[in-house]
Amino acid sequence: MTEVPTPTRDLYERYVIPTYARFDLRLARGAGTEVWDEAGKRYLDFGAGIAVTSIGHCHPRVVRAMQEQIGTLVHTSNLYYTRPQALLAERLVRLTCAPGPPRGKVFFCNSGAEANEALYKLARKFGNECEPPPPRHAVGECITVDANRHTIVTMDGSFHGRTLAGIAATGQEKVKKGFEPLVQGFVQAPYNDEPALLAAVEAPGVAAVLLEPIQGECGVVPATASFLRAARTACDDGGALLMFDEVQCGLGRTGDWCGWRSIAPEVWPDAVSWAKGIAGGFPLGAIWVSDREVTLKTGEKIALCNLLGPGSHGTTFGGTPLVSTGALAVLAVIEDEGLLENARTLGVFARESIAALGSPLIAEVRGVGLMLAFELVPDFAGRVPSPTGRAPSLMVVDALHEAGLLTVPSGSHAVRWLPPLNVQRSEIEEAVGILRDVLARLA
Ligand code: PLP
């Protein structure tokens, strides 16, 4: 007698720690922008694993490159040199600096939270070991700069990951609850509020500002160009580092390799973190650090990108030959298939198509490139009551699932569209049609 396999969901309930409130979907395979569940139902995947499968599922070029590499060399540790990691570092530095000459260096890790950890450590080392800038004003109205600077200013509404330092950096109370005492040295300032940011950076002891050029986890909120410019000026004046968390918005999602360049191309950060789409679904994180000169308290001058020296930071898996090969293939596909342009053009098309639905349930459509969200009207719960008290964004996402479209909720009222960068116009038309029908039914 053959044994009936235990259903996937039952296995989860029995064996997986319940940190996620999962949707009741059991996904089995994917190709391009499509995924299929265990029962064979097809979905258009406009969540892309939360901005991760940046060139869709199982792109043949990535599959080929990884298959070849998996039979060649998977892992060696970071005690040795491997060619794929070296080539990937070069590529990331080049695309960050293009069209200028490649400057700065990269460190590899495994996730967005870890990439941000590397930024926090860079900021701490900078604050502890580098000379503070001279006081900026005459004595009397003096704003002194603390000799021991270790505060990192982050933004209200931000999300930087789930490590202990990540939740201290994150500007959302819900991620911190129950995990006190929090890691010290993080303060939050209001996003897109220039005077408030200036005041926060002028406080004694600030080593760095960390911000998302487009906040993802609070409903896709882009920074204004003037806020990014003000952040650069405040950091220059206060002798602090300006660091961008591009874990969600970076590497093509906005239609530019650098998310901030879609908003304020003239602004240069001192460091950037990446993860999510960098390797199209394989776990990889990285930071880029600029080569600007800094002065150590010993008087020695070094490039900022050499501040994290041997023994100061590391991780077993970061940048294995296998994952680096995958990332190189993903970045090559984005380049060769013109996907930055695709993200820009189809991003506008998607945004305009959702807005053109004129749904009384949608208050706003916003975003940059293919990092989009629509905000449901504040009185959604009054118009479409939920018998179970489910949040409006979840009700819409549930209904879209039912109709064959995967999207990602963001907070209580926003729904994100983060399709792969090689999404087709016809797939956007299909998704907009599904959304139209779902909203009409709910309304
Ligand atoms: N930073 C941003 C902007 C993110 O959106 C996320 C994840 O959503 C993270 C950091 C954390 O990344 P990970 O989940 O890979 O640790």
Side-chain angles (χ1 to χ4, degrees):
M1 208 175 75
T2 51
E3 220 178 290
V4 181
T6 312
T8 303
R9 186 170 170 171
D10 294 355
L11 290 171
Y12 268 82
E13 270 160 23
R14 171 70 184 80
Y15 296 113
V16 179
I17 293 173
T19 57
Y20 303 99
R22 294 175 201 269
F23 293 102
D24 190 14
L25 293 183
R26 283 146 266 187
L27 300 176
R29 70 187 174 90
T33 311
E34 297 169 303
V35 286
W36 288 265
D37 68 14
E38 289 180 354
K41 177 175 169 179
R42 168 196 177 262
Y43 301 84
L44 263 184
D45 186 0
F46 272 40
I50 320 185
V52 169
T53 50
S54 47
I55 55 168
H57 296 277
C58 305
H59 192 289
R61 272 180 71 181
V62 179
V63 172
R64 258 198 317 278
M66 300 283 285
Q67 277 173 341
E68 199 172 303
Q69 188 62 41
I70 210 166
T72 306
L73 187 67
V74 171
H75 175 80
T76 64
S77 95
N78 278 307
L79 293 175
Y80 313 106
Y81 298 103
T82 58
R83 186 92 185 142
Q85 185 180 124
L87 293 176
L88 180 59
E90 180 194 32
R91 184 153 205 143
L92 287 167
V93 174
R94 281 188 185 283
L95 59 83
T96 300
C97 299
R103 304 184 64 163
K105 291 182 180 174
V106 168
F107 169 84
F108 291 107
C109 52
N110 308 284
S111 69
E114 256 190 84
N116 287 333
E117 285 285 337
L119 292 186
Y120 312 143
K121 287 182 73 172
L122 175 76
R124 284 273 175 105
K125 210 145 171 42
F126 172 75
N128 287 326
E129 295 185 1
C130 291
E131 270 296 329
R136 278 161 282 150
H137 300 283
V139 181
E141 49 156 302
C142 177
I143 299 168
T144 50
V145 181
D146 204 307
N148 285 315
R149 297 168 296 151
H150 63 260
T151 302
I152 299 174
V153 177
T154 64
M155 300 298 125
D156 289 343
S158 62
F159 184 78
H160 298 295
R162 297 282 190 161
T163 58
L164 274 180
I167 62 174
T170 291
Q172 300 187 43
E173 284 312 306
K174 66 181 183 202
V175 306
K176 306 177 197 253
K177 211 161 159 272
F179 297 108
E180 300 82 1
L182 296 175
V183 173
Q184 292 185 353
F186 293 93
V187 299
Q188 273 87 48
Y191 195 56
N192 278 337
D193 182 333
E194 292 157 39
L197 178 64
L198 198 67
V201 179
E202 278 183 350
V206 171
V209 169
L210 172 66
L211 64 88
E212 294 157 87
I214 301 162
Q215 291 189 333
E217 296 300 310
C218 64
V220 182
V221 184
T224 61
S226 66
F227 185 66
L228 294 184
R229 283 195 287 267
R232 181 67 274 176
T233 307
C235 287
D236 286 343
D237 290 350
L241 299 180
L242 177 61
M243 313 193 297
F244 287 161
D245 178 340
E246 295 239 326
V247 166
Q248 191 163 153
C249 72
L251 298 176
R253 180 123 307 266
T254 64
D256 195 301
W257 289 117
C258 303
W260 83 84
R261 256 194 231 134
S262 301
I263 300 170
E266 72 282 15
V267 172
W268 269 97
D270 299 304
V272 174
S273 58
W274 297 298
K276 287 196 177 279
I278 187 171
F282 298 93
L284 179 67
I287 61 167
W288 169 85
V289 181
S290 97
D291 65 352
R292 68 172 257 205
E293 189 180 81
V294 291
T295 308
L296 298 176
K297 285 179 180 165
T298 57
E300 188 192 345
K301 292 185 188 307
I302 65 166
L304 182 64
C305 56
N306 290 330
L307 190 59
L308 289 174
S312 63
H313 196 42
T315 169
T316 298
F317 289 115
T320 65
L322 182 63
V323 78
S324 299
T325 297
L328 280 165
V330 167
L331 299 175
V333 167
I334 295 175
E335 193 144 40
D336 298 348
E337 296 184 7
L339 300 185
L340 299 181
E341 171 67 21
N342 199 56
R344 286 194 294 273
T345 315
L346 291 190
V348 171
F349 175 63
R351 213 170 57 227
E352 288 176 350
S353 301
I354 299 172
L357 294 177
S359 169
L361 295 178
I362 292 183
E364 189 190 14
V365 192
R366 55 177 179 256
V368 184
L370 287 172
M371 186 168 175
L372 300 172
F374 55 86
E375 181 82 23
L376 299 165
V377 287
D379 65 342
F380 185 97
R383 292 172 184 232
V384 190
S386 160
T388 57
R390 209 147 158 77
S393 58
L394 292 175
M395 284 179 76
V396 171
V397 169
D398 289 340
L400 291 171
H401 285 168
E402 189 73 26
L405 177 64
L406 302 189
T407 59
V408 187
S410 205
S412 62
H413 280 71
V415 177
R416 273 176 290 176
W417 274 21
L418 307 160
L421 307 182
N422 53 355
V423 67
Q424 309 285 308
R425 196 182 173 90
S426 58
E427 291 167 331
I428 291 179
E429 283 165 349
E430 185 185 345
V432 172
I434 293 173
L435 178 63
R436 180 194 56 226
D437 295 348
V438 160
L439 291 174
R441 205 169 56 243
L442 288 172

